[in-house]
Amino acid sequence: MTSNNSHFVAPVDETPLLATDAVKTDHAPLSLWSDAWRKLRRRPLFIISALLILALVVVALFPGLFSSVPPNDACELGNSEGGPTAGHPFGFTFQGCDIYSRVIHGTQASLSVGILSVLCVLIIGVTFGAVAGYYGGWVDSVLARLGDIFFALPLVLGALVITQLPFFRENKSVWTVVFVISLLAWPQMARITRGAVIEVRNADFVTAAQALGVSKFRALLRHVLPNALAPIIVLATLELGVFIVAEATLSFLGIGLPQSIMSWGNDIAGAQASIRTHPQIMLYPAAALSITVLSFIMLGDAVRDALDPKSRQR
Amino acid sequence: MRFTRTSKALGIVAITALALTGCGAGGGSTDGSSNAAGDPNKVITAYSNEPQNPLLPANTNEVYGGRVVNLLFEGLRSYDANGKAVNALADSIESSDAQNWTIKVKQGQKFTNGEAITAKTFVDSWNFAANSKNLQNNGFFFESIAGYEDVSAVTTSKSADGKTTSTPAPKADTMSGLKATDDSTITVKLAQPEADWSLRLGYSAFYPLPAAALADPKTYGENPVGNGPYKFDKQGSWVHDQSITLVKNPDYNGTRAAKNGGVTFKFYTDPGPAYTDLQSDNLDVTDVLPSNALKTYVNDFPDRNATKAVATDSTLNIPGYNPNFQGEAGKLRRQALSYAINREEIAKVVFNGTRTPAKAFAPPVIDGFKEGIKGSEVLTFDAAKAKDLWAQANKIQPYDDSKPLQIASNTDGGNKEWIDAVANGFKNNLGIQAEIQPFAKFAEVLNLRKTQQLPGLTRAGWQGDYPSLYNFLGPVWATGASSNYEKYSNPEFDKLLKEGLAAKSTDEANAKFNQAQEILFQDLPGLPLWDQARAIVWSNNVVKAETGWNGEILYYGITAK
Amino acid sequence: MLRFILRRLLQVIPVFLGTTLLVYYMVFALPGDPIAALFGDRQPPQAVIDTLRSQYHLDEPFWVQYGLFLKNLFTFNLGNDFTGQPIAASLARVFPVTAMLAIEALAIQAIFGVAFGVFAGLRRGGWFDSTVLVASLVVIAVPTFVLGFVFQLVFGVQLGWAKPTVGATANWGTLLLPAVVLGLVSFAYVLRLTRASVSENMNADYVRTATAKGLSRPRVVMGHILRNSLIPVVTYLGANLGALMGGAIVTEGIFNVPGVGNKLYQAVLRSEGPTIVSIVSVLVLVFVVANLLVDLLYAWLDPRIRYDQ
């Protein structure tokens, strides 16, 4: 009986650490994303921006709820550049259309152009950029040079040519604008992603992950990309606004959305006619645009924080 | 090389301009009269853009080259500020039958290189311009002269894919109807009588050219030598994409003598920056205002602006191949569209008075213009009548509204605003969908007009080449005419035009032309919209500026303070 | 390293062929007859148009046109534009102007963007950060054609601080105002990229180590945080240099800058293939060199990045 007593380590069942060390086997391990989501839910920045974006989406889907004035069919030149009156809180455009109603009804097209273009650019740009930066070598060369080809394409030339092609000319819509913008803007995103991925791919945790037997592709998805997201999110949120404004520039050049589709861009371009006499006409669509960009920038900030434990605000 | 040298030279001009700004501001704009005599040796700066062709008069058919050529040359006649043709290098121009003309040329005139100008100079210049192998853009201005067909002949070949190509193949070097009988006499035989033929002799295509121009047009066009109130400062005065500098020609003794030391045309690709330059006295005069300044220029330039009606009109053309506008229903619809345009309001709100509602198919400044031509009541705004006519048309044949009615236009040059307004008028008064069909390039619209592919209406404008009623009707609406892109054709209209041309007197001719307009008002191949006025503004550095009949600034009459 | 650079320079060839082919084809595909379009409403005799068409080989099939362009390029003869002016001469006029403008704009956005971005990133959520956020929003929400116009009116006309337009007097001074407008748009990007990077790197281990070592705050910021934060910024600036060299069409238009953008826009409006492709050919070189410099900078900024993988 004594031989057993030479063993002086405390019995296992007395260890208080047991509770903390235990793994709840009935729960899946918290992934990067679900971890981020748990953090996000509690952030005021995220809640505010999410509510703002929700409001924008509601306005975009149901403009009729917010404005009873028909936006495009009651433009009286007699009201040109008129100030606010009862029922027309923002006044009238150069053509005598109700500004408030146009801003409300323009939300749909503008939001669609912004979000869809950013999504397209993200899908193409991040895929190409990540693969090029991560694998390097000839893959990088081919993809990066492909980007260069589109980069060297002057925007106005590309936009002019594409919109003048018979198919696009007959079917001008939000999609044609999205197509033009995405086609010409993805190399920028690819370039930034590639840079960020190159920066991360040699980090210790990536090497560690690969040493632990994580496949190369899985390491890219699980470890490299999430840590390269910061510049991608910054670019994407800013580009959302820039793309909505780009639609204005295209309209300004006569190759944007048709007149029958209302958009903030169309309105900003149209307000150019009044800029010397009534600059406030441009203010309303520009303000709507700013609020949209602001909400997405805040959302981007919150998401990035949640994904990156290092940069959490103290 | 050229870049650095010229930028220095222009830098000096700019410094001078800055120095002048100080004077101008000190002097104020109210006591301009005390300074009215001005300084005849100062160089003024003016808005312009890069000319598209070498500066040969017979090759220049756009405004920016045209204004330079008009200052470098003097023709047989010139147009005064009201568009009246007066003799310049011609002592007399006579004809008893409107077909055989005798022109007496003033003696002792010289180009700035010393070369004498005689009757032969004109004959050579005109034969050069008309000759198809010289590829002059304005060659067709000589089409009335007997023998033009031979000189301008081309051969047309058809390639395998059906494209036709014309190649110059002149059958003669000189027009049979054009002769210099001695140093001072030109005789011209026209193919048929034309009462207003002599009116066009002031147009740039008819300017005399020195021998060097005929020998090597391309080199000459870079550094032209003329006989007008101005001449090139030196070789290379034309700095491409930047400016052209002209100086006074001291030997000029015509009616357009320069009241300043010279004119520097600064090139702008957009009128906006030029307007801003004027506001800060970095530019002296512009004749193109950005569209968003139409409401502010009178306040921005009090006592320094002028607006004058010019011989330019605008129409909204309705292609005959559009099924909605064919037959009896189409006729009613064309009238309805015309009644649905509130020309008065658009002229006031959009153009702020720089356009006046059209009264006919030609502007009022043209000799022979007549108001109240039969049928011209369609030019008044009448919403009820428009609606009524539209409804009547729909009873005959329903309107195909599967696509909105589009109005094609290039969007540069401030066209979008008024087209939106016209489209809104159609929407509000006719209950149809209407919108602008925007194009970034003018070329695009033109191409689709030529190939008859525009689905809807199209904007069109016409600036008179020379002040004649025929010039606003023939080239635009006659069957097969050069600018009749919608291919309107009415034999009765053609017949009246022909009769007018053959008339013995201008009055008789104009009566026929106005009769021809009655047919246009019946058919309405296009809706006359408005006639343009040219608004110009000038800086504190100059006393005053004026425009001529066609809206071109009379640069020679501007005096610097 | 030398091998890396050489290989990259060799890659210019396919990019060059790809871009010129694409651009040439796009111009070729533009509907309409560019020669007829030169003349506007008043058309010259058909023989004039047809002769010019054959002079510029516009009646040839696409591959012949493109082949002729390449052939001319290798004999250093860019030919004439549709107004009869030699293209090489106009390129020599416009590129120096745009290069000045681009360098000035790039300097403005790099210096102010990075400086503001670092401050904003170090004090995230502070008043400076918030002010800068709002300011950059204004810059983004207002299109260049408005921003340029307002700057021109305020600084050029009302205050008289600068010449409102550039015109023939293009130099560092007159180009400053357009450069500011041009720089402002990308300034927002540079600022936010820097800010994001800085705030991410602020809590990195090597920063704690450096601080623990007793390094002064400025040295930590400049030597460690900033240097490690610059990769996305440098990438963006490199890409942007190319975009700026392509000419800012709107800005150059507003300030009447006789640069690449204006030339290119006019050429596009005229469907002037030879001019457009010649400009783009130069741009391709600029892009490739700018990218190469960026990639070389990566290795300098972060020694862990190696070439020749």
Side-chain angles (χ1 to χ4, degrees):
Chain A
M1 105 183 260
T2 52
S3 63
N4 274 353
N5 284 345
S6 64
H7 183 50
F8 53 83
V9 175
V12 171
D13 54 353
E14 283 172 26
T15 308
L17 284 174
L18 181 70
T20 35
D21 264 0
V23 173
K24 282 188 192 160
T25 45
D26 53 334
H27 271 248
L30 271 183
S31 77
L32 182 83
W33 296 101
S34 52
D35 185 34
W37 171 236
R38 275 168 49 132
K39 278 185 224 152
L40 261 185
R41 284 190 305 208
R42 289 193 289 272
R43 303 251 314 166
L45 194 64
F46 171 76
I47 295 167
I48 296 173
S49 59
L51 283 177
L52 269 172
I53 290 170
L54 186 71
L56 282 167
V57 171
V58 171
V59 171
L61 291 179
F62 311 104
L65 290 180
F66 300 88
S67 159
S68 55
V69 182
N72 217 10
D73 297 332
C75 305
E76 287 287 350
L77 200 55
N79 290 332
S80 180
E81 299 180 337
T85 56
H88 306 284
F90 295 169
F92 298 92
T93 63
F94 185 87
Q95 294 293 342
C97 309
D98 179 66
I99 296 177
Y100 171 75
S101 164
R102 283 192 69 92
V103 169
I104 293 290
H105 284 84
T107 312
Q108 188 173 32
S110 292
L111 214 56
S112 314
V113 166
I115 293 178
L116 293 174
S117 307
V118 167
L119 281 181
C120 289
V121 165
L122 275 176
I123 292 170
I124 310 173
V126 171
T127 312
F128 277 37
V131 170
Y134 187 65
Y135 290 99
W138 67 268
V139 180
D140 182 21
S141 297
V142 170
L143 291 181
R145 297 299 84 79
L146 189 68
D148 284 347
I149 290 179
F150 282 92
F151 232 138
L153 193 69
L155 177 98
V156 172
L157 175 69
L160 265 179
V161 173
I162 294 167
T163 51
Q164 301 287 353
L165 294 177
F167 175 77
F168 286 98
R169 200 172 51 216
E170 302 307 319
N171 304 292
K172 268 189 196 167
S173 68
V174 167
W175 287 103
T176 54
V177 173
V178 169
F179 180 80
V180 169
I181 292 178
S182 312
L183 189 72
L184 299 168
W186 71 265
Q188 172 115 311
M189 182 61 82
R191 197 68 69 70
I192 291 282
T193 310
R194 174 178 170 271
V197 167
I198 289 180
E199 190 187 0
V200 176
R201 74 174 178 204
N202 297 318
D204 300 336
F205 58 85
V206 180
T207 322
Q210 285 181 352
L212 284 171
V214 175
S215 80
K216 208 169 177 200
F217 184 67
R218 212 176 144 75
L220 168 65
L221 282 189
R222 292 292 301 269
H223 300 278
V224 176
L225 259 187
N227 284 287
L229 272 183
I232 297 175
I233 289 176
V234 169
L235 200 67
T237 49
L238 287 181
E239 279 189 336
L240 186 89
V242 169
F243 290 165
I244 297 178
V245 173
E247 189 260 304
T249 309
L250 291 181
S251 297
F252 184 62
L253 296 171
I255 49 181
L257 291 170
Q259 206 59 31
S260 54
I261 300 180
M262 269 161 293
S263 73
W264 299 334
N266 248 338
D267 282 1
I268 290 175
Q272 168 78 359
S274 310
I275 191 165
R276 285 172 203 269
T277 40
H278 297 84
Q280 77 277 8
I281 292 176
M282 187 176 289
L283 198 68
Y284 299 106
L289 174 60
S290 297
I291 292 170
T292 311
V293 181
L294 179 67
S295 345
F296 279 94
I297 285 183
M298 290 195 309
L299 181 73
D301 251 20
V303 170
R304 195 173 50 79
D305 274 1
L307 283 175
D308 181 4
K310 280 180 297 182
S311 75
R312 203 173 315 157
Q313 206 181 344
R314 280 168 296 188
Chain B
M1 266 289 270
R2 190 156 63 170
F3 174 70
T4 39
R5 193 185 59 205
T6 49
S7 58
K8 249 183 231 159
L10 286 162
I12 293 164
V13 174
I15 292 162
T16 327
L18 283 175
L20 285 169
T21 315
C23 305
S29 57
T30 42
D31 62 354
S33 54
S34 65
N35 253 337
D39 183 340
N41 294 317
K42 269 184 187 153
V43 174
I44 59 156
T45 54
Y47 169 90
S48 195
N49 204 343
E50 173 87 358
Q52 284 192 4
N53 301 295
L55 292 169
L56 271 108
N59 204 28
T60 299
N61 62 349
E62 42 83 41
V63 287
Y64 298 115
R67 59 182 55 170
V68 179
V69 164
N70 286 339
L71 293 182
L72 287 176
F73 291 91
E74 178 94 328
L76 289 170
R77 311 189 85 178
S78 62
Y79 304 114
D80 69 7
N82 300 318
K84 197 167 146 12
V86 292
N87 287 347
L89 290 193
D91 272 332
S92 68
I93 301 171
E94 280 161 7
S95 172
S96 52
D97 57 359
Q99 185 166 16
N100 291 290
W101 297 77
T102 307
I103 304 164
K104 285 284 179 192
V105 181
K106 223 178 244 173
Q107 289 302 286
Q109 297 294 312
K110 283 187 169 61
F111 289 107
T112 51
N113 63 0
E115 198 178 318
I117 301 170
T118 64
K120 187 170 175 297
T121 315
F122 282 100
V123 170
D124 290 349
S125 305
W126 296 1
N127 278 327
F128 166 84
N131 194 315
S132 56
K133 75 173 196 301
N134 292 326
L135 302 170
Q136 297 295 293
N137 294 332
N138 290 332
F140 54 80
F141 270 88
F142 302 92
E143 64 193 352
S144 317
I145 301 177
Y148 170 80
E149 293 77 21
D150 294 338
V151 175
S152 66
V154 292
T155 54
T156 310
S157 60
K158 208 166 190 171
S159 64
D161 56 349
K163 271 191 206 153
T164 54
T165 314
S166 357
T167 328
K171 294 179 195 144
D173 284 336
T174 54
M175 290 180 273
S176 59
L178 180 64
K179 295 223 162 55
T181 48
D182 60 51
D183 266 4
S184 64
T185 315
I186 308 170
T187 60
V188 182
K189 182 173 188 291
L190 303 183
Q192 54 189 345
E194 269 182 45
D196 72 349
W197 183 75
S198 70
L199 283 181
R200 62 177 71 180
L201 289 178
Y203 186 68
S204 57
F206 294 87
Y207 289 156
L209 292 171
L214 310 185
D216 184 356
K218 200 167 174 253
T219 314
Y220 169 85
E222 285 291 304
N223 291 290
V225 170
N227 61 333
Y230 291 88
K231 58 178 185 177
F232 258 38
D233 185 13
K234 54 181 188 308
Q235 292 271 313
S237 281
W238 179 2
V239 186
H240 289 284
D241 292 326
Q242 289 183 4
S243 65
I244 289 182
T245 304
L246 305 179
V247 294
K248 187 196 265 186
N249 172 10
D251 301 329
Y252 176 80
N253 54 11
T255 52
R256 298 185 295 151
K259 291 182 182 156
N260 48 50
V263 181
T264 296
F265 290 105
K266 289 171 101 184
F267 299 163
Y268 294 84
T269 45
D270 183 84
Y275 189 82
T276 321
D277 264 351
L278 260 144
Q279 284 182 302
S280 48
D281 289 332
N282 282 320
L283 181 72
D284 288 337
V285 62
T286 183
D287 54 345
V288 184
L289 301 183
S291 55
N292 59 19
L294 287 178
K295 288 188 183 161
T296 58
Y297 76 96
V298 176
N299 288 330
D300 288 345
F301 296 90
D303 311 323
R304 290 188 283 129
N305 69 81
T307 309
K308 184 173 149 183
V310 295
T312 303
D313 65 6
S314 299
T315 54
L316 203 56
N317 290 4
I318 308 170
Y321 54 81
N322 186 327
N324 273 326
F325 296 100
Q326 284 169 350
E328 196 53 34
K331 192 171 175 178
L332 293 173
R333 282 199 188 106
R334 291 197 294 272
Q335 290 175 0
L337 288 180
S338 188
Y339 279 119
I341 303 171
N342 193 339
R343 294 174 177 78
E344 292 280 347
E345 189 174 58
I346 295 174
K348 193 170 122 253
V349 176
V350 178
F351 294 116
N352 197 33
T354 55
R355 303 281 188 283
T356 49
K359 299 274 182 262
F361 280 86
V365 292
I366 292 299
D367 183 43
F369 166 82
K370 194 174 135 202
E371 203 172 322
I373 292 171
K374 191 169 158 242
S376 64
E377 64 276 1
V378 295
L379 300 181
T380 49
F381 172 63
D382 190 336
K385 189 141 193 196
K387 207 167 224 137
D388 185 41
L389 287 167
W390 195 264
Q392 281 181 37
N394 282 350
K395 271 183 213 146
I396 301 172
Q397 186 205 4
Y399 176 70
D400 173 12
D401 60 357
S402 57
K403 279 198 166 173
L405 181 62
Q406 293 189 309
I407 305 172
S409 171
N410 50 319
T411 48
D412 49 340
N415 290 308
K416 187 173 177 299
E417 284 81 23
W418 70 258
I419 293 181
D420 281 348
V422 167
N424 283 334
F426 290 162
K427 276 194 247 179
N428 297 344
N429 301 319
L430 302 176
I432 57 169
Q433 284 304 313
E435 66 183 20
I436 185 172
Q437 183 187 13
F439 291 88
K441 309 196 299 174
F442 173 78
E444 205 53 44
V445 193
L446 187 69
N447 180 55
L448 292 175
R449 282 178 72 187
K450 275 180 157 179
T451 52
Q452 312 243 301
Q453 285 175 346
L454 282 181
L457 316 186
T458 177
R459 158 193 97 78
W462 185 255
Q463 180 180 10
D465 298 307
Y466 50 94
S468 123
L469 195 49
Y470 173 76
N471 190 248
F472 279 84
L473 302 174
V476 194
W477 304 116
T479 306
S482 58
S483 294
N484 183 359
Y485 299 117
E486 276 71 43
K487 301 203 165 48
Y488 166 72
S489 171
N490 187 328
E492 220 173 316
F493 174 76
D494 294 343
K495 185 167 147 270
L496 282 166
L497 279 191
K498 214 163 226 153
E499 285 172 18
L501 279 179
K504 292 274 154 40
S505 75
T506 326
D507 286 346
E508 203 181 312
N510 286 339
K512 286 282 181 196
F513 296 145
N514 282 327
Q515 212 181 325
Q517 283 193 63
E518 291 178 16
I519 294 172
L520 291 184
F521 273 117
Q522 276 170 28
D523 291 348
L524 285 179
L527 312 174
L529 292 172
W530 30 75
D531 304 311
Q532 294 194 13
R534 183 58 50 85
I536 61 168
V537 297
W538 57 89
S539 73
N540 284 310
N541 304 331
V542 298
V543 179
K544 192 177 180 343
E546 272 184 303
T547 49
W549 68 281
N550 59 354
E552 196 168 286
I553 294 175
L554 306 175
Y555 298 98
Y556 56 86
I558 301 174
T559 4
K561 276 185 192 160
Chain C
M1 170 103 159
L2 198 65
R3 235 189 65 188
F4 172 77
I5 295 176
L6 263 177
R7 208 175 57 205
R8 281 292 287 273
L9 288 179
L10 273 181
Q11 288 173 5
V12 172
I13 297 167
V15 175
F16 179 84
L17 288 177
T19 312
T20 50
L21 190 68
L22 184 68
V23 170
Y24 215 103
Y25 187 74
M26 286 186 128
V27 178
F28 181 82
L30 273 178
D33 177 354
I35 297 294
L38 276 181
F39 299 101
D41 264 333
R42 215 149 311 177
Q43 294 286 295
Q46 191 58 36
V48 174
I49 295 181
D50 289 345
T51 310
L52 282 173
R53 282 180 62 86
S54 74
Q55 199 174 321
Y56 291 106
H57 308 291
L58 293 175
D59 40 5
E60 306 279 2
F62 171 70
W63 289 107
V64 176
Q65 286 192 37
Y66 183 68
L68 280 169
F69 160 75
L70 284 184
K71 186 181 141 231
N72 285 342
L73 195 73
F74 288 120
T75 50
F76 297 101
N77 167 23
L78 296 177
N80 290 345
D81 65 16
F82 289 169
T83 61
Q85 300 303 322
I87 292 173
S90 57
L91 292 196
R93 273 198 306 271
V94 296
F95 267 101
V97 175
T98 294
M100 278 199 281
L101 183 63
I103 291 169
E104 226 171 331
L106 203 68
I108 289 170
Q109 71 196 41
I111 293 169
F112 289 97
V114 170
F116 285 23
V118 169
F119 281 117
L122 291 177
R123 306 227 185 296
R124 285 187 60 211
W127 66 267
F128 184 80
D129 187 25
S130 316
T131 317
V132 163
L133 170 65
V134 172
S136 55
L137 273 183
V138 170
V139 172
I140 286 186
V142 178
T144 320
F145 58 84
V146 178
L147 201 69
F149 174 78
V150 170
F151 269 52
Q152 188 179 45
L153 207 63
V154 172
F155 298 110
V157 178
Q158 285 165 359
L159 297 174
W161 290 357
K163 234 179 134 246
T165 68
V166 176
T169 55
N171 58 43
W172 296 106
T174 52
L175 286 171
L176 184 62
L177 197 57
V180 170
V181 171
L182 205 51
L184 268 181
V185 182
S186 314
F187 161 79
Y189 280 90
V190 175
L191 184 146
R192 298 210 67 79
L193 282 171
T194 313
R195 174 185 172 279
S197 245
V198 164
S199 62
E200 188 178 87
N201 288 329
M202 237 170 72
N203 304 318
D205 299 336
Y206 58 81
V207 175
R208 286 204 201 112
T209 315
T211 315
K213 241 169 31 176
L215 284 187
S216 69
R217 182 78 172 150
R219 279 206 60 184
V220 174
V221 171
M222 295 301 290
H224 293 268
I225 299 183
L226 184 58
R227 184 163 164 185
N228 281 289
S229 304
L230 278 182
I231 284 196
V233 180
V234 164
T235 313
Y236 179 79
L237 287 176
N240 205 34
L241 174 69
L244 287 172
M245 279 305 292
I249 286 165
V250 177
T251 312
E252 288 194 0
I254 292 173
F255 291 95
N256 201 36
V257 179
V260 179
N262 247 334
K263 191 85 203 164
L264 194 60
Y265 187 51
Q266 299 303 317
V268 168
L269 289 188
R270 288 183 191 158
S271 305
E272 220 173 75
T275 309
I276 298 172
V277 183
S278 301
I279 290 178
V280 169
S281 306
V282 179
L283 286 181
V284 170
L285 295 179
V286 174
F287 274 106
V288 173
V289 171
N291 281 345
L292 181 58
L293 286 180
V294 167
D295 276 356
L296 294 178
L297 270 175
Y298 283 175
W300 178 76
L301 290 168
D302 185 347
R304 282 174 302 181
I305 295 173
R306 293 173 305 270
Y307 310 113
D308 302 313
Q309 278 216 330

